[in-house]
Amino acid sequence: MSSKPTSPLRLLFLTEGVMKLAGGLMFMLSPQTPLAVAVAAPIPSSALLLTRLLGTQTFTLGISMLLASAKTPQAVSSRRVVYWTVFARDATLVTVLALQLWLGDNVDALGFSPGGLRAWLTELMPFCVGHLWILTMKPHWFRS
């Protein structure tokens, strides 16, 4: 038995990869579902399109995470850059949402209410904080 501690990163990649695939599909196929918390009916077609486009990003990042979860040396060596990419996308979304709430005119933008933007911000923050914590506090997880 090895005394080397195992990294939970592979399981995290598998779990979040599946979540991103499912979420991305939902955003693409049924954008009304996630928009229900952020936009009052009737949902503008521009909001539907933007949500579908966000879904393509989310879905693609899920594929990247699943590919990086493989047990091959190439997959293991790609995990750090994949994780930084996922963090960068989510952190950029959080930043844009926060700036809209802080500096925006706080009236409905494309149908998105300030409360809806706050709900999306609240949903994304734990992922951003978790990714940043792993990237900065657990760098050794990427070596195994």
Side-chain angles (χ1 to χ4, degrees), residues 38-109:
V39 179
I43 298 172
S45 57
S46 56
L48 294 170
L49 175 61
L50 288 173
T51 302
R52 285 187 175 107
L53 293 174
L54 181 62
T56 65
Q57 290 180 3
T58 304
F59 187 82
T60 304
L61 289 173
I63 292 171
S64 298
M65 293 191 88
L66 290 178
L67 290 172
S69 73
K71 293 182 179 181
T72 66
Q74 295 87 354
V76 171
S77 69
S78 73
R79 289 179 185 163
R80 183 177 210 71
V81 72
V82 168
Y83 219 62
W84 272 109
T85 302
V86 169
F87 168 72
R89 194 289 297 254
D90 289 350
T92 302
L93 284 172
V94 163
T95 302
V96 169
L97 289 169
L99 287 172
Q100 175 62 32
L101 287 166
W102 185 41
L103 300 173
D105 54 14
N106 285 326
V107 296
D108 288 357

Short mmCIF file of all heavy atoms in Angstrom, two decimals, residues 38-109:
data_model
loop_
_atom_site.label_atom_id
_atom_site.label_comp_id
_atom_site.label_asym_id
_atom_site.label_seq_id
_atom_site.Cartn_x
_atom_site.Cartn_y
_atom_site.Cartn_z
N ALA A 38 -34.21 34.63 -13.19
CA ALA A 38 -33.54 35.88 -13.48
C ALA A 38 -34.35 36.85 -14.33
O ALA A 38 -34.08 38.04 -14.33
CB ALA A 38 -32.20 35.61 -14.18
N VAL A 39 -35.34 36.34 -15.05
CA VAL A 39 -36.05 37.16 -16.03
C VAL A 39 -37.55 36.94 -15.87
O VAL A 39 -38.02 35.80 -15.78
CB VAL A 39 -35.62 36.79 -17.47
CG1 VAL A 39 -36.37 37.62 -18.49
CG2 VAL A 39 -34.12 36.96 -17.64
N ALA A 40 -38.29 38.03 -15.86
CA ALA A 40 -39.75 37.93 -15.80
C ALA A 40 -40.29 37.56 -17.18
O ALA A 40 -39.72 37.93 -18.21
CB ALA A 40 -40.34 39.25 -15.33
N ALA A 41 -41.40 36.85 -17.19
CA ALA A 41 -42.06 36.49 -18.45
C ALA A 41 -42.71 37.73 -19.03
O ALA A 41 -43.16 38.60 -18.28
CB ALA A 41 -43.08 35.39 -18.20
N PRO A 42 -42.78 37.89 -20.29
CA PRO A 42 -42.23 37.00 -21.31
C PRO A 42 -40.72 37.23 -21.46
O PRO A 42 -40.23 38.36 -21.40
CB PRO A 42 -42.96 37.42 -22.59
CG PRO A 42 -43.29 38.86 -22.38
CD PRO A 42 -43.52 39.02 -20.88
N ILE A 43 -39.99 36.14 -21.63
CA ILE A 43 -38.53 36.20 -21.73
C ILE A 43 -38.15 36.71 -23.13
O ILE A 43 -38.58 36.13 -24.13
CB ILE A 43 -37.91 34.82 -21.47
CG1 ILE A 43 -38.24 34.36 -20.04
CG2 ILE A 43 -36.40 34.85 -21.70
CD1 ILE A 43 -37.84 32.93 -19.73
N PRO A 44 -37.36 37.78 -23.20
CA PRO A 44 -36.95 38.31 -24.51
C PRO A 44 -36.13 37.28 -25.29
O PRO A 44 -35.35 36.52 -24.71
CB PRO A 44 -36.10 39.53 -24.18
CG PRO A 44 -36.41 39.86 -22.77
CD PRO A 44 -36.84 38.59 -22.10
N SER A 45 -36.28 37.27 -26.60
CA SER A 45 -35.54 36.31 -27.42
C SER A 45 -34.04 36.55 -27.32
O SER A 45 -33.25 35.60 -27.43
CB SER A 45 -36.00 36.39 -28.88
OG SER A 45 -35.85 37.70 -29.37
N SER A 46 -33.61 37.78 -27.08
CA SER A 46 -32.17 38.05 -26.91
C SER A 46 -31.62 37.36 -25.67
O SER A 46 -30.51 36.84 -25.67
CB SER A 46 -31.92 39.55 -26.84
OG SER A 46 -32.70 40.13 -25.82
N ALA A 47 -32.40 37.32 -24.59
CA ALA A 47 -31.97 36.62 -23.37
C ALA A 47 -31.91 35.12 -23.61
O ALA A 47 -31.00 34.44 -23.11
CB ALA A 47 -32.92 36.94 -22.21
N LEU A 48 -32.86 34.59 -24.38
CA LEU A 48 -32.83 33.16 -24.72
C LEU A 48 -31.57 32.82 -25.51
O LEU A 48 -30.89 31.82 -25.22
CB LEU A 48 -34.08 32.77 -25.50
CG LEU A 48 -35.40 32.84 -24.75
CD1 LEU A 48 -36.57 32.67 -25.71
CD2 LEU A 48 -35.45 31.79 -23.65
N LEU A 49 -31.24 33.64 -26.49
CA LEU A 49 -30.05 33.40 -27.31
C LEU A 49 -28.78 33.49 -26.47
O LEU A 49 -27.91 32.62 -26.56
CB LEU A 49 -29.98 34.39 -28.47
CG LEU A 49 -28.71 34.30 -29.33
CD1 LEU A 49 -28.58 32.92 -29.98
CD2 LEU A 49 -28.70 35.40 -30.36
N LEU A 50 -28.66 34.52 -25.65
CA LEU A 50 -27.46 34.66 -24.81
C LEU A 50 -27.31 33.48 -23.86
O LEU A 50 -26.20 33.02 -23.60
CB LEU A 50 -27.51 35.98 -24.04
CG LEU A 50 -27.28 37.23 -24.89
CD1 LEU A 50 -27.53 38.48 -24.05
CD2 LEU A 50 -25.88 37.23 -25.48
N THR A 51 -28.41 32.99 -23.34
CA THR A 51 -28.37 31.83 -22.44
C THR A 51 -27.93 30.58 -23.19
O THR A 51 -27.14 29.79 -22.68
CB THR A 51 -29.73 31.64 -21.76
OG1 THR A 51 -30.05 32.85 -21.07
CG2 THR A 51 -29.71 30.48 -20.78
N ARG A 52 -28.44 30.41 -24.40
CA ARG A 52 -28.00 29.27 -25.22
C ARG A 52 -26.50 29.36 -25.51
O ARG A 52 -25.79 28.35 -25.47
CB ARG A 52 -28.80 29.21 -26.51
CG ARG A 52 -30.20 28.69 -26.32
CD ARG A 52 -30.91 28.48 -27.66
NE ARG A 52 -32.20 27.87 -27.46
CZ ARG A 52 -33.36 28.51 -27.60
NH1 ARG A 52 -33.39 29.77 -27.99
NH2 ARG A 52 -34.49 27.88 -27.37
N LEU A 53 -26.01 30.55 -25.81
CA LEU A 53 -24.59 30.73 -26.08
C LEU A 53 -23.75 30.43 -24.83
O LEU A 53 -22.70 29.79 -24.92
CB LEU A 53 -24.31 32.15 -26.58
CG LEU A 53 -24.90 32.48 -27.95
CD1 LEU A 53 -24.69 33.96 -28.28
CD2 LEU A 53 -24.32 31.59 -29.03
N LEU A 54 -24.22 30.86 -23.67
CA LEU A 54 -23.55 30.52 -22.42
C LEU A 54 -23.55 29.01 -22.21
O LEU A 54 -22.58 28.44 -21.72
CB LEU A 54 -24.22 31.24 -21.25
CG LEU A 54 -23.62 31.00 -19.87
CD1 LEU A 54 -22.18 31.50 -19.79
CD2 LEU A 54 -24.47 31.70 -18.81
N GLY A 55 -24.63 28.37 -22.61
CA GLY A 55 -24.72 26.92 -22.51
C GLY A 55 -23.67 26.21 -23.34
O GLY A 55 -23.13 25.18 -22.93
N THR A 56 -23.35 26.75 -24.52
CA THR A 56 -22.32 26.11 -25.34
C THR A 56 -20.96 26.18 -24.64
O THR A 56 -20.20 25.22 -24.67
CB THR A 56 -22.21 26.76 -26.74
OG1 THR A 56 -21.77 28.11 -26.62
CG2 THR A 56 -23.52 26.70 -27.49
N GLN A 57 -20.67 27.30 -23.98
CA GLN A 57 -19.41 27.41 -23.23
C GLN A 57 -19.39 26.42 -22.08
O GLN A 57 -18.38 25.74 -21.85
CB GLN A 57 -19.26 28.82 -22.65
CG GLN A 57 -18.98 29.90 -23.62
CD GLN A 57 -18.85 31.24 -22.91
OE1 GLN A 57 -18.90 31.33 -21.68
NE2 GLN A 57 -18.67 32.29 -23.68
N THR A 58 -20.47 26.36 -21.35
CA THR A 58 -20.54 25.48 -20.19
C THR A 58 -20.40 24.03 -20.62
O THR A 58 -19.66 23.25 -20.00
CB THR A 58 -21.87 25.71 -19.44
OG1 THR A 58 -21.96 27.10 -19.10
CG2 THR A 58 -21.96 24.87 -18.18
N PHE A 59 -21.09 23.64 -21.67
CA PHE A 59 -21.02 22.28 -22.19
C PHE A 59 -19.59 21.94 -22.62
O PHE A 59 -19.06 20.88 -22.29
CB PHE A 59 -22.00 22.13 -23.37
CG PHE A 59 -22.12 20.72 -23.88
CD1 PHE A 59 -22.96 19.82 -23.26
CD2 PHE A 59 -21.40 20.32 -24.99
CE1 PHE A 59 -23.08 18.52 -23.73
CE2 PHE A 59 -21.51 19.02 -25.48
CZ PHE A 59 -22.35 18.12 -24.84
N THR A 60 -18.96 22.85 -23.35
CA THR A 60 -17.60 22.62 -23.83
C THR A 60 -16.61 22.49 -22.68
O THR A 60 -15.72 21.64 -22.71
CB THR A 60 -17.17 23.77 -24.77
OG1 THR A 60 -18.12 23.86 -25.82
CG2 THR A 60 -15.80 23.54 -25.35
N LEU A 61 -16.76 23.32 -21.65
CA LEU A 61 -15.89 23.19 -20.48
C LEU A 61 -16.12 21.86 -19.77
O LEU A 61 -15.18 21.27 -19.23
CB LEU A 61 -16.10 24.36 -19.53
CG LEU A 61 -15.56 25.70 -20.02
CD1 LEU A 61 -15.96 26.82 -19.08
CD2 LEU A 61 -14.05 25.66 -20.20
N GLY A 62 -17.35 21.37 -19.78
CA GLY A 62 -17.63 20.05 -19.21
C GLY A 62 -16.89 18.95 -19.95
O GLY A 62 -16.32 18.03 -19.34
N ILE A 63 -16.87 19.03 -21.28
CA ILE A 63 -16.12 18.06 -22.07
C ILE A 63 -14.64 18.13 -21.72
O ILE A 63 -13.98 17.09 -21.51
CB ILE A 63 -16.34 18.30 -23.58
CG1 ILE A 63 -17.78 17.97 -23.96
CG2 ILE A 63 -15.35 17.48 -24.41
CD1 ILE A 63 -18.16 18.38 -25.37
N SER A 64 -14.10 19.34 -21.62
CA SER A 64 -12.68 19.51 -21.26
C SER A 64 -12.39 18.89 -19.90
O SER A 64 -11.35 18.23 -19.72
CB SER A 64 -12.31 20.99 -21.24
OG SER A 64 -12.48 21.56 -22.51
N MET A 65 -13.28 19.09 -18.94
CA MET A 65 -13.07 18.53 -17.61
C MET A 65 -13.13 17.01 -17.63
O MET A 65 -12.34 16.34 -16.97
CB MET A 65 -14.07 19.11 -16.61
CG MET A 65 -13.85 20.59 -16.37
SD MET A 65 -14.79 21.23 -15.00
CE MET A 65 -13.63 20.89 -13.67
N LEU A 66 -14.05 16.45 -18.39
CA LEU A 66 -14.13 14.99 -18.48
C LEU A 66 -12.89 14.42 -19.16
O LEU A 66 -12.35 13.39 -18.73
CB LEU A 66 -15.40 14.56 -19.20
CG LEU A 66 -16.70 14.80 -18.43
CD1 LEU A 66 -17.90 14.39 -19.27
CD2 LEU A 66 -16.68 14.06 -17.10
N LEU A 67 -12.42 15.06 -20.21
CA LEU A 67 -11.19 14.59 -20.88
C LEU A 67 -10.00 14.67 -19.93
O LEU A 67 -9.15 13.77 -19.90
CB LEU A 67 -10.93 15.41 -22.14
CG LEU A 67 -11.90 15.18 -23.30
CD1 LEU A 67 -11.64 16.18 -24.42
CD2 LEU A 67 -11.81 13.74 -23.82
N ALA A 68 -9.92 15.72 -19.12
CA ALA A 68 -8.81 15.87 -18.18
C ALA A 68 -8.93 14.94 -16.98
O ALA A 68 -7.97 14.78 -16.22
CB ALA A 68 -8.73 17.33 -17.70
N SER A 69 -10.07 14.30 -16.80
CA SER A 69 -10.23 13.38 -15.67
C SER A 69 -9.70 11.98 -15.96
O SER A 69 -9.62 11.15 -15.05
CB SER A 69 -11.71 13.28 -15.27
OG SER A 69 -12.43 12.53 -16.24
N ALA A 70 -9.31 11.74 -17.19
CA ALA A 70 -8.77 10.42 -17.55
C ALA A 70 -7.50 10.12 -16.75
O ALA A 70 -6.86 11.03 -16.21
CB ALA A 70 -8.49 10.36 -19.05
N LYS A 71 -7.14 8.86 -16.69
CA LYS A 71 -5.97 8.44 -15.90
C LYS A 71 -4.69 8.41 -16.73
O LYS A 71 -3.70 7.83 -16.31
CB LYS A 71 -6.23 7.07 -15.31
CG LYS A 71 -7.31 7.05 -14.26
CD LYS A 71 -7.48 5.65 -13.67
CE LYS A 71 -8.54 5.64 -12.59
NZ LYS A 71 -8.70 4.31 -11.99
N THR A 72 -4.68 9.04 -17.88
CA THR A 72 -3.49 9.04 -18.73
C THR A 72 -2.54 10.16 -18.31
O THR A 72 -2.98 11.17 -17.74
CB THR A 72 -3.88 9.25 -20.20
OG1 THR A 72 -4.43 10.56 -20.34
CG2 THR A 72 -4.88 8.21 -20.67
N PRO A 73 -1.24 10.01 -18.58
CA PRO A 73 -0.29 11.08 -18.25
C PRO A 73 -0.63 12.39 -18.94
O PRO A 73 -0.47 13.47 -18.34
CB PRO A 73 1.06 10.54 -18.74
CG PRO A 73 0.89 9.05 -18.77
CD PRO A 73 -0.56 8.80 -19.09
N GLN A 74 -1.13 12.34 -20.17
CA GLN A 74 -1.48 13.56 -20.89
C GLN A 74 -2.65 14.27 -20.19
O GLN A 74 -2.66 15.50 -20.09
CB GLN A 74 -1.87 13.26 -22.34
CG GLN A 74 -0.75 12.71 -23.17
CD GLN A 74 -0.64 11.19 -23.07
OE1 GLN A 74 -1.33 10.53 -22.30
NE2 GLN A 74 0.27 10.63 -23.85
N ALA A 75 -3.64 13.50 -19.75
CA ALA A 75 -4.79 14.11 -19.07
C ALA A 75 -4.36 14.73 -17.75
O ALA A 75 -4.74 15.85 -17.42
CB ALA A 75 -5.88 13.07 -18.84
N VAL A 76 -3.55 14.00 -16.99
CA VAL A 76 -3.10 14.50 -15.69
C VAL A 76 -2.32 15.80 -15.88
O VAL A 76 -2.51 16.77 -15.14
CB VAL A 76 -2.25 13.44 -14.96
CG1 VAL A 76 -1.58 14.03 -13.72
CG2 VAL A 76 -3.12 12.24 -14.58
N SER A 77 -1.46 15.85 -16.91
CA SER A 77 -0.66 17.06 -17.13
C SER A 77 -1.51 18.24 -17.62
O SER A 77 -1.08 19.39 -17.52
CB SER A 77 0.48 16.78 -18.11
OG SER A 77 -0.03 16.55 -19.40
N SER A 78 -2.71 17.99 -18.13
CA SER A 78 -3.56 19.08 -18.63
C SER A 78 -4.49 19.64 -17.55
O SER A 78 -5.12 20.68 -17.77
CB SER A 78 -4.41 18.59 -19.80
OG SER A 78 -5.44 17.73 -19.36
N ARG A 79 -4.60 18.99 -16.43
CA ARG A 79 -5.61 19.38 -15.43
C ARG A 79 -5.46 20.81 -14.93
O ARG A 79 -6.44 21.52 -14.75
CB ARG A 79 -5.60 18.39 -14.25
CG ARG A 79 -6.17 17.06 -14.63
CD ARG A 79 -6.16 16.07 -13.50
NE ARG A 79 -6.62 14.78 -14.01
CZ ARG A 79 -6.45 13.64 -13.39
NH1 ARG A 79 -5.83 13.61 -12.21
NH2 ARG A 79 -6.89 12.53 -13.93
N ARG A 80 -4.24 21.23 -14.69
CA ARG A 80 -4.04 22.58 -14.15
C ARG A 80 -4.54 23.64 -15.13
O ARG A 80 -5.25 24.56 -14.74
CB ARG A 80 -2.57 22.80 -13.81
CG ARG A 80 -2.28 24.14 -13.18
CD ARG A 80 -0.79 24.25 -12.80
NE ARG A 80 -0.59 25.08 -11.66
CZ ARG A 80 -0.92 24.83 -10.40
NH1 ARG A 80 -1.48 23.70 -10.10
NH2 ARG A 80 -0.69 25.68 -9.43
N VAL A 81 -4.19 23.53 -16.41
CA VAL A 81 -4.61 24.53 -17.39
C VAL A 81 -6.13 24.46 -17.61
O VAL A 81 -6.78 25.50 -17.76
CB VAL A 81 -3.82 24.42 -18.71
CG1 VAL A 81 -4.21 23.21 -19.52
CG2 VAL A 81 -3.99 25.68 -19.53
N VAL A 82 -6.70 23.28 -17.59
CA VAL A 82 -8.15 23.16 -17.72
C VAL A 82 -8.83 23.82 -16.53
O VAL A 82 -9.80 24.57 -16.69
CB VAL A 82 -8.58 21.68 -17.86
CG1 VAL A 82 -10.09 21.52 -17.70
CG2 VAL A 82 -8.12 21.10 -19.19
N TYR A 83 -8.31 23.60 -15.33
CA TYR A 83 -8.92 24.18 -14.13
C TYR A 83 -8.81 25.71 -14.15
O TYR A 83 -9.74 26.41 -13.77
CB TYR A 83 -8.27 23.59 -12.88
CG TYR A 83 -9.26 23.33 -11.76
CD1 TYR A 83 -10.31 22.44 -11.92
CD2 TYR A 83 -9.13 23.98 -10.55
CE1 TYR A 83 -11.21 22.21 -10.90
CE2 TYR A 83 -10.02 23.75 -9.52
CZ TYR A 83 -11.06 22.87 -9.70
OH TYR A 83 -11.95 22.65 -8.69
N TRP A 84 -7.64 26.24 -14.58
CA TRP A 84 -7.49 27.69 -14.70
C TRP A 84 -8.47 28.24 -15.72
O TRP A 84 -9.03 29.33 -15.54
CB TRP A 84 -6.05 28.07 -15.07
CG TRP A 84 -5.16 28.24 -13.89
CD1 TRP A 84 -4.14 27.42 -13.50
CD2 TRP A 84 -5.20 29.30 -12.92
NE1 TRP A 84 -3.55 27.91 -12.35
CE2 TRP A 84 -4.17 29.06 -11.98
CE3 TRP A 84 -6.00 30.43 -12.75
CZ2 TRP A 84 -3.94 29.90 -10.90
CZ3 TRP A 84 -5.76 31.27 -11.67
CH2 TRP A 84 -4.74 31.00 -10.76
N THR A 85 -8.69 27.51 -16.81
CA THR A 85 -9.62 27.96 -17.85
C THR A 85 -11.05 28.03 -17.31
O THR A 85 -11.76 29.01 -17.53
CB THR A 85 -9.55 27.03 -19.07
OG1 THR A 85 -8.20 27.01 -19.56
CG2 THR A 85 -10.50 27.48 -20.17
N VAL A 86 -11.45 26.99 -16.58
CA VAL A 86 -12.79 26.97 -15.99
C VAL A 86 -12.93 28.11 -14.97
O VAL A 86 -13.93 28.83 -14.97
CB VAL A 86 -13.08 25.60 -15.33
CG1 VAL A 86 -14.35 25.64 -14.50
CG2 VAL A 86 -13.17 24.52 -16.41
N PHE A 87 -11.92 28.28 -14.15
CA PHE A 87 -11.94 29.37 -13.17
C PHE A 87 -12.02 30.73 -13.86
O PHE A 87 -12.80 31.60 -13.46
CB PHE A 87 -10.71 29.32 -12.25
CG PHE A 87 -10.55 30.56 -11.42
CD1 PHE A 87 -11.40 30.82 -10.35
CD2 PHE A 87 -9.57 31.49 -11.72
CE1 PHE A 87 -11.27 31.97 -9.59
CE2 PHE A 87 -9.43 32.65 -10.96
CZ PHE A 87 -10.28 32.89 -9.90
N ALA A 88 -11.22 30.91 -14.91
CA ALA A 88 -11.20 32.20 -15.61
C ALA A 88 -12.56 32.53 -16.21
O ALA A 88 -13.03 33.68 -16.12
CB ALA A 88 -10.13 32.19 -16.70
N ARG A 89 -13.22 31.55 -16.81
CA ARG A 89 -14.54 31.81 -17.39
C ARG A 89 -15.54 32.17 -16.29
O ARG A 89 -16.27 33.16 -16.40
CB ARG A 89 -15.02 30.58 -18.16
CG ARG A 89 -16.22 30.76 -19.10
CD ARG A 89 -17.58 30.98 -18.49
NE ARG A 89 -18.08 29.90 -17.69
CZ ARG A 89 -19.05 29.06 -18.05
NH1 ARG A 89 -19.62 29.16 -19.21
NH2 ARG A 89 -19.48 28.13 -17.22
N ASP A 90 -15.58 31.37 -15.22
CA ASP A 90 -16.53 31.64 -14.14
C ASP A 90 -16.22 32.96 -13.43
O ASP A 90 -17.13 33.72 -13.10
CB ASP A 90 -16.54 30.48 -13.15
CG ASP A 90 -17.19 29.23 -13.72
OD1 ASP A 90 -17.81 29.31 -14.80
OD2 ASP A 90 -17.09 28.16 -13.08
N ALA A 91 -14.95 33.26 -13.20
CA ALA A 91 -14.57 34.51 -12.54
C ALA A 91 -14.92 35.71 -13.42
O ALA A 91 -15.33 36.77 -12.90
CB ALA A 91 -13.08 34.51 -12.20
N THR A 92 -14.80 35.56 -14.73
CA THR A 92 -15.18 36.65 -15.63
C THR A 92 -16.68 36.88 -15.58
O THR A 92 -17.14 38.03 -15.53
CB THR A 92 -14.73 36.33 -17.07
OG1 THR A 92 -13.31 36.14 -17.06
CG2 THR A 92 -15.08 37.45 -18.02
N LEU A 93 -17.45 35.80 -15.57
CA LEU A 93 -18.91 35.95 -15.43
C LEU A 93 -19.28 36.63 -14.12
O LEU A 93 -20.13 37.53 -14.10
CB LEU A 93 -19.60 34.58 -15.50
CG LEU A 93 -19.73 33.94 -16.87
CD1 LEU A 93 -20.27 32.52 -16.74
CD2 LEU A 93 -20.65 34.76 -17.75
N VAL A 94 -18.65 36.23 -13.03
CA VAL A 94 -18.92 36.83 -11.73
C VAL A 94 -18.58 38.32 -11.76
O VAL A 94 -19.34 39.16 -11.26
CB VAL A 94 -18.13 36.10 -10.61
CG1 VAL A 94 -18.05 36.93 -9.34
CG2 VAL A 94 -18.76 34.75 -10.32
N THR A 95 -17.45 38.66 -12.36
CA THR A 95 -17.03 40.06 -12.43
C THR A 95 -18.02 40.90 -13.22
O THR A 95 -18.41 41.99 -12.80
CB THR A 95 -15.62 40.16 -13.05
OG1 THR A 95 -14.71 39.39 -12.25
CG2 THR A 95 -15.16 41.60 -13.13
N VAL A 96 -18.45 40.39 -14.37
CA VAL A 96 -19.40 41.13 -15.20
C VAL A 96 -20.74 41.29 -14.47
O VAL A 96 -21.34 42.38 -14.48
CB VAL A 96 -19.58 40.45 -16.57
CG1 VAL A 96 -20.75 41.04 -17.34
CG2 VAL A 96 -18.29 40.58 -17.38
N LEU A 97 -21.22 40.23 -13.83
CA LEU A 97 -22.47 40.32 -13.07
C LEU A 97 -22.34 41.34 -11.93
O LEU A 97 -23.23 42.17 -11.73
CB LEU A 97 -22.87 38.96 -12.52
CG LEU A 97 -23.34 37.92 -13.52
CD1 LEU A 97 -23.45 36.55 -12.87
CD2 LEU A 97 -24.67 38.33 -14.13
N ALA A 98 -21.23 41.28 -11.21
CA ALA A 98 -21.02 42.22 -10.09
C ALA A 98 -20.93 43.65 -10.58
O ALA A 98 -21.50 44.57 -9.97
CB ALA A 98 -19.76 41.83 -9.32
N LEU A 99 -20.21 43.86 -11.68
CA LEU A 99 -20.11 45.22 -12.22
C LEU A 99 -21.46 45.75 -12.70
O LEU A 99 -21.77 46.93 -12.52
CB LEU A 99 -19.09 45.27 -13.36
CG LEU A 99 -17.63 45.17 -12.93
CD1 LEU A 99 -16.72 45.02 -14.14
CD2 LEU A 99 -17.23 46.37 -12.08
N GLN A 100 -22.26 44.88 -13.31
CA GLN A 100 -23.59 45.31 -13.74
C GLN A 100 -24.43 45.72 -12.54
O GLN A 100 -25.14 46.73 -12.57
CB GLN A 100 -24.29 44.20 -14.52
CG GLN A 100 -25.73 44.51 -14.92
CD GLN A 100 -25.86 45.71 -15.84
OE1 GLN A 100 -24.98 45.97 -16.64
NE2 GLN A 100 -26.96 46.44 -15.71
N LEU A 101 -24.34 44.94 -11.46
CA LEU A 101 -25.11 45.27 -10.25
C LEU A 101 -24.57 46.53 -9.57
O LEU A 101 -25.33 47.33 -9.04
CB LEU A 101 -25.09 44.10 -9.28
CG LEU A 101 -25.93 42.91 -9.69
CD1 LEU A 101 -25.59 41.69 -8.86
CD2 LEU A 101 -27.41 43.25 -9.57
N TRP A 102 -23.26 46.72 -9.58
CA TRP A 102 -22.65 47.84 -8.87
C TRP A 102 -22.70 49.12 -9.69
O TRP A 102 -23.07 50.18 -9.19
CB TRP A 102 -21.21 47.47 -8.53
CG TRP A 102 -20.48 48.48 -7.70
CD1 TRP A 102 -20.96 49.20 -6.64
CD2 TRP A 102 -19.12 48.89 -7.87
NE1 TRP A 102 -19.99 50.02 -6.14
CE2 TRP A 102 -18.84 49.85 -6.88
CE3 TRP A 102 -18.12 48.52 -8.75
CZ2 TRP A 102 -17.60 50.45 -6.75
CZ3 TRP A 102 -16.89 49.12 -8.61
CH2 TRP A 102 -16.63 50.07 -7.62
N LEU A 103 -22.35 49.04 -10.97
CA LEU A 103 -22.23 50.25 -11.79
C LEU A 103 -23.36 50.43 -12.80
O LEU A 103 -23.49 51.49 -13.38
CB LEU A 103 -20.90 50.25 -12.55
CG LEU A 103 -19.64 50.19 -11.70
CD1 LEU A 103 -18.41 50.03 -12.59
CD2 LEU A 103 -19.53 51.43 -10.83
N GLY A 104 -24.12 49.35 -13.03
CA GLY A 104 -25.19 49.43 -14.01
C GLY A 104 -26.32 50.31 -13.53
O GLY A 104 -26.36 50.75 -12.37
N ASP A 105 -27.26 50.56 -14.41
CA ASP A 105 -28.38 51.42 -14.04
C ASP A 105 -29.44 50.66 -13.24
O ASP A 105 -30.42 51.23 -12.79
CB ASP A 105 -28.99 52.07 -15.28
CG ASP A 105 -29.37 51.04 -16.34
OD1 ASP A 105 -29.42 49.84 -16.04
OD2 ASP A 105 -29.63 51.47 -17.47
N ASN A 106 -29.22 49.35 -13.03
CA ASN A 106 -30.09 48.51 -12.20
C ASN A 106 -31.55 48.52 -12.63
O ASN A 106 -32.45 48.37 -11.82
CB ASN A 106 -29.96 48.86 -10.72
CG ASN A 106 -28.66 48.31 -10.15
OD1 ASN A 106 -28.19 47.25 -10.57
ND2 ASN A 106 -28.07 49.03 -9.24
N VAL A 107 -31.76 48.71 -13.90
CA VAL A 107 -33.07 48.44 -14.46
C VAL A 107 -32.91 47.17 -15.28
O VAL A 107 -31.79 46.74 -15.55
CB VAL A 107 -33.59 49.60 -15.35
CG1 VAL A 107 -33.78 50.85 -14.52
CG2 VAL A 107 -32.66 49.87 -16.51
N ASP A 108 -33.99 46.59 -15.66
CA ASP A 108 -33.91 45.35 -16.41
C ASP A 108 -33.01 45.53 -17.64
O ASP A 108 -33.21 46.44 -18.43
CB ASP A 108 -35.29 44.89 -16.85
CG ASP A 108 -36.11 44.37 -15.67
OD1 ASP A 108 -35.58 44.33 -14.55
OD2 ASP A 108 -37.27 44.01 -15.89
N ALA A 109 -32.02 44.68 -17.75
CA ALA A 109 -31.12 44.65 -18.92
C ALA A 109 -31.41 43.37 -19.68
O ALA A 109 -31.17 42.28 -19.18
CB ALA A 109 -29.67 44.70 -18.46
#
